[in-house]
Amino acid sequence: MTTTAALACVQLPLTAVLYGLLALRGWRYGRRYRAAARRCALMDVDPYHAASGQGWYGDDLQAAAARLVLDGLATVNHRGNLRATAAGAHTGRAAGHPLTDALLAALRRRTAPAALGNLEQRDSELWSARQRFHAQARAAAEALRPAPPRPPGCLAAMAALLLIGWMAFTAAAVVDRVPRGPVEWLAAVAAGLAVVAAGLAVVAQLALLDRYRKVPGPAGGRPDPVEARMAALRPHPALAELAARDPEAERRLRLSRLRVRRSRNRGRPRRRTAPPDRPDPSAGGDQCGGSG
């Protein structure tokens, strides 16, 4: 047997095995991914958790404030300050969700109206309640997320061995005599195609090694089924309902989220006119009652 025929006999089986393992690996991961996607499509995701990380105007805290306004437990004035109503100030009244309860409790702790951005930045109990809620919801979602495929360690080693053998057999074939007869020419053509295919497989394996090291998520361009399920619940229903029922309150909540610093009067509206029992300083005359 000539070197060209030997090259064909070695390269063809190895290339078939390499691509067969790649196809088997992709098929097995695809089956696991489809099963996980079906489970994620049916899982119960909290809308507040789905809204987390969507920016100031659409996240979970904004939705919780919108729900309090819709339920009549809080009001927002023209400056964006939130205040608990008479119903919301009652300690026996619950908002019905851990996030809305935490926000309502933060409003009860304030002696004056406060902006939503200020509550987010300065109320540690509200921050802790948000973290606890999202930690539990995130753990439940991660349990259904499909595991990322393992790095192709054995396949990469096989690709390296195939590369070494390809280089050795190709170097030997170069110095061999010219093929004679249709059988040797057919073997030479098959070996050449196998060399090209094996080279592409080696390049693909090296690229996959770098990809699996940097991107631990689903491979093959597949979307994250957990993220797809949460995206179907956005925007939060409370935000959409408030925008439809009371656009002015929705605009004030946006303004409230931008205010992160506490003003001098701690949210109280500035007094524009003097009260009836106090004389107006802008009026003329002696303000002490009587002239010298």
Side-chain angles (χ1 to χ4, degrees), residues 57 63 66-67 70 234-247 250:
Y57 298 150
R67 177 50 60 191
L70 287 170
R234 299 167 185 157
H236 193 278
L239 295 173
E241 183 180 353
L242 183 63
R245 288 175 49 183
D246 194 349
E250 194 267 343

Side-chain angles (χ1 to χ4, degrees), residues 25-68:
R25 175 187 175 86
W27 175 78
R28 292 182 60 187
Y29 177 73
R31 186 179 63 176
R32 293 196 302 267
Y33 174 84
R34 289 188 293 271
R38 288 191 295 268
R39 294 193 301 268
C40 292
L42 299 176
M43 73 176 181
D44 186 17
V45 180
D46 194 295
Y48 289 96
H49 179 63
S52 62
Q54 295 304 302
W56 279 358
Y57 298 150
D59 67 351
D60 54 320
L61 189 59
Q62 196 80 6
R67 177 50 60 191
L68 292 181

